[in-house]
Every structure is written in structure tokens, then in C-alpha cells.
Amino acid sequence: MHTTLVETQLAEDQLIEAAKQGDRDAFGELVLMHYQGTINVVYRMTGEMPLAEDVAQETFIRAWTKLHTYRPIGSFRSWVYRIANNAALDILRRQAERENDEGLTTLVNQLQEQIDTGLLTGQRDEPKTQTGRPRSRSNAGGTRTYNPETGEFE
């Protein structure tokens, strides 16, 4: 049986709502869904796999404690990746301060700027309909392209 994108999104939404109600198993499923992608995002930032794994763990601890703040305006994945980016920057900042490393401080500042502009992860929140669902990207004629000026897919 083939699971559609809509079915997958609905399942994720149900897991998020259950996790918000304290269901640790539901949150565990969300972790499984996003763990490898989170590691990949941090690894691209740092180039260090052990650090990426540590940051991924910290990310999901933070996500669990702040889950009540998540709003489905943007994708859950983007929310988690933003937490991961911030956790990585926090660790790198502490390391730069501890080692009094100006080069690392400069790198952290550059990474922060890239994150703020959406360049580092290549992730920007996908536009949503008023119900919070991602807007459709395809039609009978094929793939549609998102126009950031109009906020619509064309």
C-alpha cells in the first residue's frame, strides 16, 4: 500500500497533537521521522558527526519541552531544524568562548546570518493554507513553482 503525502502529513499532525497531550510514544515517532534529517542539517553546519549527534539529542530534548509552543504555521520539520540550528550555534558559541577563538566566533556569526536568511539549511517554511495544511504543488499540468512575491504556486 502506498502512503500519500497527505496521509503522511495527517499522521504527523496526529502525532504532534498526541505528543502535545503528553504522549511520549507519539513524540518518539516524531523523533524517528526527523532524527536523521536533523543530524544531516547540523553536520552540514559543523562538519563533525559526533557534534551533530549530540546536537540532535539536545534538539529533541528542547523540542519536547517546547512542544506546546509549536504552531502549524510552518512545517514541523522546519521548526525542529530551527531548534537544531540554534542548539548547534549555542554549543559552538560556548566552545568559541571557552577557547577564546575569534575565528570560530566569526564562523558562528556567519552561520547565524545564513540561518536567519534561510540559506544554510535550504529550508524555508512552506506556505500554508488557512487551515495550516501545505498548499498543493501539483496540478494536472505538472509541477507548480512557488512565487515568493505573490505567495502562491504557479
Side-chain angles (χ1 to χ4, degrees):
M1 180 179 198
H2 180 70
T3 304
T4 68
L5 181 60
V6 171
E7 290 169 332
T8 301
Q9 185 62 48
L10 286 173
E12 182 178 76
D13 290 348
Q14 290 171 342
L15 289 170
I16 292 166
E17 286 308 310
K20 281 183 167 184
Q21 300 302 316
D23 185 335
R24 291 177 183 262
D25 291 334
F27 188 73
E29 289 296 317
L30 291 167
V31 170
L32 289 174
M33 291 170 70
H34 297 286
Y35 188 76
Q36 189 60 52
T38 301
I39 288 175
N40 293 344
V41 165
V42 177
Y43 181 76
R44 282 193 303 264
M45 261 179 89
T46 66
E48 297 180 31
M49 186 56 73
L51 179 60
E53 291 168 344
D54 289 346
V55 169
Q57 288 181 6
E58 176 66 21
T59 295
F60 288 105
I61 291 168
R62 289 182 185 187
W64 174 253
T65 61
K66 297 293 184 184
L67 190 58
H68 66 279
T69 68
Y70 171 71
R71 303 288 179 261
I73 295 167
S75 72
F76 184 77
R77 180 185 67 192
S78 293
W79 183 73
V80 168
Y81 289 1
R82 181 63 173 205
I83 293 170
N85 286 328
N86 290 336
L89 287 174
D90 290 346
I91 289 171
L92 290 172
R93 279 190 191 103
R94 285 193 299 269
Q95 183 180 343
E97 289 171 7
R98 205 173 35 250
E99 298 172 6
N100 197 24
D101 186 335
E102 289 182 30
L104 184 55
T105 300
T106 300
L107 174 63
V108 170
N109 291 336
Q110 291 170 344
L111 289 171
Q112 180 69 62
E113 184 177 326
Q114 291 175 356
I115 290 167
D116 290 344
T117 59
L119 295 175
L120 183 66
T121 62
Q123 297 291 324
R124 293 201 174 126
D125 285 339
E126 297 175 6
K128 305 284 183 175
T129 63
Q130 289 182 347
T131 62
R133 309 247 41 92
R135 292 184 184 169
S136 173
R137 287 195 196 126
S138 61
N139 58 23
T143 304
R144 300 166 70 191
T145 304
Y146 178 64
N147 181 339
E149 292 179 14
T150 63
E152 299 293 327
F153 285 93
E154 303 173 337

